[in-house]
Amino acid sequence: MSTQEIYNAILAFDEVSVKAKVRAELGAGTDIQTILDDGLVRAMDIVGERFSAGDLFIPEMLKSAQVMKAGLELIKPLLTTDQSRSKGTVVIGTVKGDQHDIGKNLVAMMLEGAGFKIVDLGVDVESEVFVKTAAEQKADVIALSSLLTTTMPAMEQTIRITKAANLAVKTIVGGAPVSQAFAHQIEADGYSADAPGTVKLVKELVG
Ligand code: B12
């Protein structure tokens, strides 16, 4: 049994097997981050590469996402802690025009596990909705996810109108095509390449 088997099961689009293998790894005491990095997330990277190369297509990409999500669901309870003493509120969502939510969900789960209150707006979220919700919830952080180069401008727009609204809220950005340089360019308060890094970042920004 190894995380390689989780990876293989995702690439075989075998949900039953992914669940069984994630459970087995958890039972064997394998570190959650190892299960994510070496099994679940690594498989999605290769799916993307195969899609780019024309070796697999949208239905397979969708199926792999469903299978990945089934694996993530098993990990979620282990990441979630007591919410009675919230460390702060994070409004999170995938920006307008973008349907990708696996990375966003993973970030939300880890932040929740670290003690933050999460208001998850889902996918394809209008800029104004982020700002309105942040004001209503007195949020500390707005976290924007984008997986498409074509939806990155929606991050810039959201940050622009957030700043214009003069709220005491920080903005952070992430997603596969996003970089530190882009975050700097659009004047986001922070960027992270992955979920554990986002927890560290939000703690720094809120603390
Ligand atoms: C699964 C998938 C899909 C699924 C999404 C299902 C779902 N519910 O999410 C479906 C099939 C729907 C899909 C559709 C499309 N997809 Co797609 N998809 C992917 C794929 C294979 C995996 C994405 C994923 O889940 N990765 C795993 C997660 C864990 O990683 P992640 O999202 O990067 O998140 C991590 C970090 O980025 C970061 N992070 C994420 N969000 C945030 C937010 C903050 C605030 C912070 C700090 C950090 C952070 O932390 C996360 C955890 O560590 C990628 C390939 C890839 N390698 O990215 C292509 C990819 C993103 N898709 C691509 C494309 C082209 C499309 C389509 C346009 C295809 C089409 N012709 O229709 C459509 C667009 C639909 C739309 N309007 O959104 C391209 C994008 C190319 C580009 N440069 O823009 C990619 C890169 C594939 C490729 N190599 O060509 N896709």
Side-chain angles (χ1 to χ4, degrees), residues 9-10 13-15 18 62-72:
I10 291 193
F13 314 119
D14 186 342
E15 183 170 331
V18 168
L62 203 50
K63 187 70 195 147
S64 64
Q66 283 165 3
V67 173
M68 155 88 174
K69 281 185 175 185
L72 267 189

Side-chain angles (χ1 to χ4, degrees), residues 37 40-41 44-49 51-52 58-59 61-66 68-69 92-93 97-104 106-107 142-151 155 172-177 190-196 198 201:
D37 291 347
L40 298 167
V41 175
M44 297 312 287
D45 286 342
I46 202 77
V47 167
E49 282 171 28
F51 176 76
S52 291
I58 308 273
M61 204 150 70
L62 203 50
K63 187 70 195 147
S64 64
Q66 283 165 3
M68 155 88 174
K69 281 185 175 185
I92 190 167
D98 204 320
Q99 299 287 343
H100 295 85
D101 68 356
I102 295 176
K104 183 267 295 170
L106 190 51
V107 167
I142 295 178
L144 305 172
S145 182
S146 162
L147 266 285
L148 299 171
T149 45
T150 49
T151 57
M155 291 182 146
I172 64 168
V173 291
Y191 159 79
S192 171
D194 58 26
T198 308
L201 173 68

